[in-house]
């Protein structure tokens, strides 16, 4: 199966995904965007693709990654993750994630 067809197939899978718990959301994030996730494989295949196809594939990959991130955001918003900081919380934003799984929110610590 060509990369374009594979991405379109995965895009349908991602958009149809539903979550039953916060753990499901986190596992989905790890499976797709984690260090050993499928997105890494997609990027490796993109690197090997012919230059003539890269413009079209690049747009499709960006759409695909945005769809994954959107599903994670929607799924995370559906579950109370025990934090009062909302979108700024490290549990919701992988870019802000620290080694500790505990929230650094001052609300949670009882200080304001």
């Amino acid at each position: 199966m060509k990369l374009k067809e594979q991405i379109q197939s995965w895009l349908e899978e991602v958009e149809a995904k539903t979550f039953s718990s916060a753990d499901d959301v986190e596992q989905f994030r790890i499976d797709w965007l984690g260090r050993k996730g499928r997105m890494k494989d997609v990027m490796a295949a993109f690197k090997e693709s012919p230059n003539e196809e890269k413009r079209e594939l690049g747009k499709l990959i960006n759409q695909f990654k945005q769809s994954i991130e959107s599903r994670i955001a929607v799924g995370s918003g559906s579950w109370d993750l025990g934090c009062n900081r909302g979108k700024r919380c490290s549990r919701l934003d992988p870019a802000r994630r620290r080694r500790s799984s505990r929230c650094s929110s001052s609300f949670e610590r009882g200080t304001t």
Side-chain angles (χ1 to χ4, degrees):
M1 185 181 292
K2 287 190 153 194
L3 181 59
K4 182 178 177 181
E5 295 165 350
Q6 184 66 51
I7 292 171
Q8 289 173 335
S9 166
W10 282 341
L11 186 59
E12 292 172 7
E13 179 184 335
V14 166
E15 290 175 350
K17 180 68 176 166
T18 58
F19 304 108
S20 60
S21 70
D23 290 336
D24 286 350
V25 176
E26 182 64 9
Q27 188 60 48
F28 178 80
R29 184 191 69 77
I30 291 168
D31 289 345
W32 286 98
L33 300 177
R35 194 170 42 189
K36 297 179 182 177
R38 292 186 197 176
M39 199 65 203
K40 184 175 181 178
D41 297 336
V42 169
M43 295 308 291
F46 174 73
K47 184 178 177 182
E48 300 298 322
S49 65
N51 288 338
E52 301 82 39
E53 297 177 10
K54 284 191 176 184
R55 180 174 291 215
E56 183 181 354
L57 282 174
K59 289 178 183 179
L60 184 60
I61 290 171
N62 286 337
Q63 176 189 1
F64 178 54
K65 188 171 181 183
Q66 289 170 355
S67 178
I68 293 169
E69 291 169 345
S70 173
R71 292 298 304 145
I72 292 169
V74 168
S76 296
S78 302
W79 303 98
D80 178 16
L81 299 178
C83 178
N84 297 322
R85 287 175 43 179
K87 291 183 179 183
R88 294 186 342 224
C89 182
S90 62
R91 290 185 183 192
L92 298 179
D93 184 1
R96 295 178 185 262
R97 188 171 297 275
R98 296 182 181 167
R99 288 187 184 265
S100 171
S101 63
R102 298 197 58 178
C103 182
S104 61
S105 170
S106 61
F107 294 107
E108 204 168 274
R109 289 191 312 258
T111 60
T112 53

